Amino acid sequence: MKNLSDLLNESAYSTAKIIFPALSGPAWVSILTGQGVGTHGFLNSFFYDKDMKVKINNPDEVIEEHFYEAISKLGEKIFLMDVPFSTSKNIPGDFLDSYFSNKSKDELIVPPNLVEKFVSIKNYVNYKKKSKNINDYLRSFKDIVLSNGQIIKDVVNSKEYGFMFFQITVADWIQHKALVDIKHNRNTQKAQISREVLCELDKLIGWIKSQ
């Protein structure tokens, strides 16, 4: 992923310190708020109800200010796409909800008429496409990169926003399924498919860098 590597080498970045518990939900909320779990209180991404069914925790209950809320207060127009365990409750828009949302599909786009401005949002994907075959499952990620990548291009080209946050979650989903094979340079089919998806993602990063 040459473009990602170049971006890291040309940019400022640091190694994040792990929080406890070391889970995605509390980690993301700490990234978004700059606060530890003891302050924001978001201990996990889900819980079991009285019928032992899994329920997604509600990020609306996190009262600490998110970094994008602070930016919005400065008068910048914000666009957020797939920010995990987050909400748009304290910004006027524009917002595409995340894979971890507990909202209905009708509430994923804020405001709803955003799709009239960016037609590509009609193809927004914030969920895993189900498949019993691991290779077909991984192949579906390329379509997500292309469809969500077009949204990114349209939003960036609009030049309307002072701050934009985009996440393409497939990079995380790939490492859950194929990281060991890729890391050890194994020539398995799932590693080959994953490399193709990551190369497509790197092309998108290259486009963003060129803007």
Side-chain angles (χ1 to χ4, degrees):
M1 300 184 72
K2 183 182 184 304
N3 290 311
L4 178 60
S5 178
D6 290 346
L7 186 64
L8 286 170
N9 291 330
E10 297 165 7
S11 306
Y13 66 94
S14 64
T15 300
K17 183 180 179 182
I18 193 65
I19 52 88
F20 182 83
L23 300 168
S24 296
W28 267 108
V29 176
S30 287
I31 290 169
L32 296 168
T33 64
Q35 303 295 327
V37 176
T39 300
H40 63 64
F42 199 91
L43 293 174
N44 202 349
S45 56
F46 65 90
F47 64 95
Y48 293 94
D49 66 13
K50 63 181 181 180
D51 298 319
M52 294 305 292
K53 292 182 179 179
V54 174
K55 300 290 184 181
I56 300 294
N57 271 319
N58 186 0
D60 283 344
E61 296 176 1
V62 177
I63 62 172
E64 282 68 35
E65 185 174 63
H66 291 45
F67 72 84
Y68 58 74
E69 293 172 347
I71 295 172
S72 181
K73 283 181 179 179
L74 297 174
E76 297 289 355
K77 190 174 181 181
I78 309 294
F79 191 99
L80 308 173
M81 185 182 86
D82 200 5
V83 185
F85 308 104
S86 183
T87 72
S88 60
K89 64 180 186 292
N90 291 325
I91 61 171
D94 298 340
F95 191 92
L96 303 183
D97 220 331
S98 84
Y99 167 70
F100 292 100
S101 173
N102 59 359
K103 296 183 176 69
S104 67
K105 288 187 177 181
D106 295 337
E107 300 175 288
L108 290 180
I109 303 171
V110 181
N113 64 357
L114 193 62
V115 72
E116 297 172 11
K117 184 189 298 183
F118 302 113
V119 179
S120 53
I121 289 176
K122 290 181 179 179
N123 298 318
Y124 174 53
V125 182
N126 75 331
Y127 57 88
K128 297 178 183 179
K129 296 183 178 180
K130 295 180 181 179
S131 176
K132 294 181 179 179
N133 183 294
I134 181 64
N135 293 326
D136 289 341
Y137 171 71
L138 291 168
R139 286 189 188 96
S140 72
F141 294 170
K142 185 174 181 179
D143 293 335
I144 296 175
V145 173
L146 294 173
S147 58
N148 290 359
Q150 188 58 53
I151 297 171
I152 293 173
K153 291 178 179 180
D154 291 347
V155 171
V156 171
N157 281 333
S158 74
K159 303 187 185 303
E160 288 187 34
Y161 301 93
F163 178 83
M164 295 167 283
F165 183 109
F166 306 108
Q167 182 188 209
I168 296 189
T169 323
V170 299
D172 178 53
W173 297 344
I174 283 175
Q175 64 92 16
H176 277 290
K177 299 297 183 183
L179 179 62
V180 173
D181 283 18
I182 295 172
K183 184 177 180 180
H184 295 287
N185 204 29
R186 295 172 183 167
N187 197 31
T188 61
Q189 191 169 10
K190 68 177 182 179
Q192 292 174 13
I193 297 168
S194 297
R195 290 189 187 101
E196 290 176 9
V197 175
L198 291 172
C199 284
E200 198 65 46
L201 181 57
D202 199 53
K203 290 179 186 176
L204 177 60
I205 293 171
W207 181 89
I208 294 170
K209 281 180 66 225
S210 70
Q211 301 309 300

